[in-house]
Amino acid sequence: MTTTKPLKYLSSRLSTLVPKSTHLSDIPNPIGLLRSLDRQNWAFFSVAFFAWTWDAFDFFTVSLTLPDLAESFNRTRTEVTWGITLVLMFRTVGAVVFGIAGDRWGRRWPFVVNNGLFVVLELATGFCQTYPQFLACRALFGIAMGGLYGNAAATALEDLPPIARGLMSGLLQQGYAFGYLLATAFSRALVNTTRYGWRPLFWFGACPPVLIIAFRLLLPETRTYQKQKMERELKQQQQQQQQEEEGSGEDGGGEGKGVTHVFWEQGKQVVRNEWLLLGYMVLLMAGFNFMSHGSQDLYPVLLDTQFLFSRDEGTYIQVIANVGAMLGGTTIGFMSQFAGRRLSILVMCVLGGALLYPYTATDVADQGWGRIAAAAFWEQFAVQGAWGVIPAHLMELSPAKFRTFVVGTSYQLGNLVSSASSTIESTIGERFPLPAEIGPDGTVLGQRYEYGKVIFIFMGCVYAYVVVLTLLGPEYLGRRFDRRDSEALEDTGVVFGEDHEQGFEFVQDARRERGTAERKGGGAV
């Protein structure tokens, strides 16, 4: 590769931030986009959204019960945050296992097994009696949680009309914020309201996945996966015929073995050809996971121990923050379809960085919980606004035949890199002690630390990192998910402009030419 090609790619990063065809008149009515989905589109999206929502609910049960868990297991809060860290670390295992299963054998049964594990492990967590038992359950829960994201994104988005992808991507991602909101509300209703303390929240968390499993069993495989399966089988049959013609038909093996062989050969080719893109996606997801976990996981503890808000005030703030998150993700996900994926992420990072001080400052909290609530609303609007772009962005970047594996694994490897976010913030925060909380009778109620300062600095670095990586990265806005279009794109080598002057512009031009040719030829794939 000559040095001029990477330089040409880098020089195109600013000029390709805004799609050339973007005009206000091009932005469709979002209601019209929602109406463009058929019943099967809505069914697939709904089951994926509910699963992703409850995935987030189950994850945040630990963050919201951190002081109670620490007291129950006689451990410090920092030690209990390892229950969060282990979930994030082991999610990568689940992404690999369930991602490969989803691409090889279909979306349905890996999805069902995933949710079945949620039922078992949430129940088990509620019955834990010791700290090691708790850590073991959360580590296993991480495997189950890691397997869901790629499958849910593929189920929800891969059959959608491309024009609706940005809006539905934003809606899908807000299952995460909606799950956090539900966890906050049910935590207030279930934690320490019975003699079982924190445990009913986990027991309740095991129930809805049963309904999600039943919902998924009623649905078929996605059309896109069925098409890919037929193509693999056809390719395997062609290989067998070729071997028979060459006199080596006895080595062809059975159909299942042949299709599996084709699957793994395609996987090797993807790794060889797209390793740079896959590495970029992991680094990008590391930044995004640092962004969400760094701003959210320790925030309930900050509200409680640093700002000294009551349990009700803390609940109000978190509910308001998650309403902002859902609005941000949906709005920015929709706008990214026309403003561009990268530009939308950059704008949200700048907004989030500007709001860090009021989001974490004690002098703002001293003026009342309402001011902190307003800052939390817009901070999470920015964080989840950037995240609203991600499902569609990852799907468009991923190779067609391994979409579940690539989306899920890149997301969860990023989670692995960022898995110690809450533990890092908690450990560093303990270096900045505040006066202890004293009860009416003069007894010490608990130690206090200046977590806000740590979150402020930590998140500032994260936003800067995401801005740089997003600015330098590729974008395949509007990429079609049918096999031919995907293979044509994969074969161009445009990931970093290796064979073309401006990879993004080339992809857009190639897509327009293909669409014109298909219309003239009498039909698209």
Side-chain angles (χ1 to χ4, degrees):
M1 184 193 304
T2 63
T3 57
T4 57
K5 292 176 182 177
L7 290 176
K8 286 179 179 179
Y9 171 81
L10 293 174
S11 67
S12 70
R13 293 306 81 205
L14 287 175
S15 62
T16 57
L17 274 177
V18 182
K20 286 185 174 181
S21 62
T22 298
H23 301 286
L24 289 177
S25 60
D26 295 332
I27 301 177
N29 185 335
I31 303 301
L33 294 181
L34 295 177
R35 288 177 176 173
S36 71
L37 276 61
D38 61 31
R39 290 184 180 180
Q40 185 165 304
N41 291 150
W42 276 114
F44 280 137
F45 178 84
S46 298
V47 74
F49 177 85
F50 292 140
W52 180 229
T53 294
W54 217 253
D55 187 330
F57 179 100
D58 291 341
F59 174 76
F60 281 110
T61 50
V62 173
S63 296
L64 293 167
T65 56
L66 201 62
D68 304 287
L69 290 166
E71 181 180 353
S72 180
F73 296 130
N74 195 26
R75 299 282 176 161
T76 67
R77 291 171 181 171
T78 298
E79 287 176 312
V80 175
T81 61
W82 278 102
I84 301 172
T85 300
L86 286 174
V87 170
L88 299 177
M89 291 176 66
F90 279 86
R91 280 165 72 166
T92 305
V93 179
V96 172
V97 173
F98 286 97
I100 291 175
D103 284 322
R104 173 60 187 89
W105 290 287
R107 319 301 193 207
R108 179 197 285 178
W109 287 107
F111 188 97
V112 169
V113 173
N114 237 166
N115 282 276
L117 289 174
F118 288 156
V119 174
V120 174
L121 294 169
E122 278 296 279
L123 281 175
T125 303
F127 285 106
C128 286
Q129 300 297 320
T130 67
Y131 179 65
Q133 290 175 355
F134 168 74
L135 293 183
C137 283
R138 297 317 287 175
L140 293 173
F141 175 80
I143 296 175
M145 187 176 184
L148 183 72
Y149 185 79
N151 206 327
T155 299
L157 301 179
E158 64 183 358
D159 282 355
L160 295 181
I163 194 67
R165 197 177 295 151
L167 175 61
M168 303 309 291
S169 170
L171 286 172
L172 174 66
Q173 188 60 36
Q174 293 335 294
Y176 184 84
F178 188 45
Y180 191 0
L181 189 153
L182 291 176
T184 301
F186 279 103
S187 173
R188 187 69 186 93
L190 297 175
V191 175
N192 295 326
T193 56
T194 70
R195 64 189 180 91
Y196 297 106
W198 52 269
R199 300 178 188 276
L201 182 64
F202 291 85
W203 295 335
F204 173 74
C207 300
V210 176
L211 301 178
I212 295 170
I213 289 171
F215 188 4
R216 185 63 185 93
L217 287 173
L218 295 174
L219 302 176
E221 294 289 356
T222 63
R223 301 180 186 111
T224 301
Y225 172 77
Q226 292 181 49
K227 184 183 295 183
Q228 292 172 358
K229 180 182 178 182
M230 291 175 61
E231 289 166 348
R232 284 197 191 106
E233 292 173 348
L234 178 61
K235 187 171 183 178
Q236 183 262 339
Q237 291 171 6
Q238 291 172 342
Q239 288 178 347
Q240 282 189 338
Q241 289 176 358
Q242 184 178 2
Q243 290 174 345
E244 290 171 358
E245 291 173 359
E246 295 172 354
S248 57
E250 65 275 12
D251 298 326
E255 181 179 348
K257 180 179 178 180
V259 173
T260 300
H261 175 75
V262 170
F263 175 81
W264 288 116
E265 286 300 314
Q266 290 172 341
K268 293 176 187 177
Q269 184 178 1
V270 166
V271 173
R272 283 195 302 267
N273 295 343
E274 308 288 5
W275 63 270
L276 190 57
L277 175 61
L278 299 180
Y280 169 79
M281 292 169 68
V282 171
L283 293 175
L284 182 66
M285 286 298 93
F288 267 82
N289 281 292
F290 272 125
M291 187 192 304
S292 59
H293 294 296
S295 67
Q296 295 171 349
D297 290 359
L298 212 62
Y299 203 65
V301 180
L302 179 147
L303 295 175
D304 178 29
T305 63
Q306 180 177 333
F307 294 164
L308 297 179
F309 288 135
S310 69
R311 194 176 185 90
D312 286 339
E313 290 170 337
T315 300
Y316 298 152
I317 292 170
Q318 291 177 77
V319 168
I320 291 169
N322 281 285
V323 170
M326 289 187 287
L327 289 175
T330 304
T331 303
I332 305 305
F334 169 64
M335 294 304 299
S336 74
Q337 192 70 37
F338 314 100
R341 311 294 190 210
R342 292 187 301 138
L343 180 60
S344 300
I345 293 170
L346 293 175
V347 171
M348 289 299 98
C349 286
V350 172
L351 175 62
L355 291 166
L356 281 175
Y357 180 78
Y359 184 63
T360 59
T362 302
D363 58 346
V364 177
D366 290 342
Q367 299 176 42
W369 69 267
R371 290 178 179 264
I372 285 291
F377 176 94
W378 289 109
E379 181 66 30
Q380 290 306 314
F381 182 99
V383 170
Q384 288 301 316
W387 265 105
V389 179
I390 287 300
H393 192 38
L394 292 185
M395 292 281 286
E396 289 167 344
L397 291 177
S398 299
K401 307 178 199 70
F402 289 83
R403 190 167 291 125
T404 300
F405 171 74
V406 170
V407 171
T409 302
S410 61
Y411 176 83
Q412 302 302 354
L413 282 174
N415 250 323
L416 176 62
V417 175
S418 66
S419 59
S421 296
S422 57
T423 303
I424 291 171
E425 288 180 336
S426 180
T427 302
I428 297 177
E430 291 177 358
R431 299 182 182 180
F432 302 98
L434 295 170
E437 184 180 1
I438 306 298
D441 58 354
T443 59
V444 176
L445 299 180
Q447 298 299 319
R448 300 173 61 231
Y449 303 100
E450 196 170 1
Y451 294 120
K453 178 184 292 185
V454 179
I455 293 175
F456 177 86
I457 297 172
F458 185 85
M459 287 298 299
C461 296
V462 170
Y463 279 129
Y465 169 83
V466 173
V467 164
V468 172
L469 209 61
T470 301
L471 189 61
L472 295 177
E475 179 177 347
Y476 297 154
L477 179 63
R479 177 182 184 178
R480 288 172 55 191
F481 291 160
D482 63 87
R483 182 174 183 265
R484 283 197 204 166
D485 185 67
S486 300
E487 285 191 337
L489 179 57
E490 291 160 14
D491 291 341
T492 61
V494 302
V495 174
F496 285 96
E498 296 177 1
D499 297 318
H500 303 280
E501 292 185 3
Q502 305 220 349
F504 177 80
E505 294 180 7
F506 178 86
V507 173
Q508 297 290 73
D509 293 341
R511 188 180 297 113
R512 284 192 290 271
E513 291 174 5
R514 175 174 289 277
T516 301
E518 287 176 344
R519 285 192 294 273
K520 290 180 178 179
V525 175

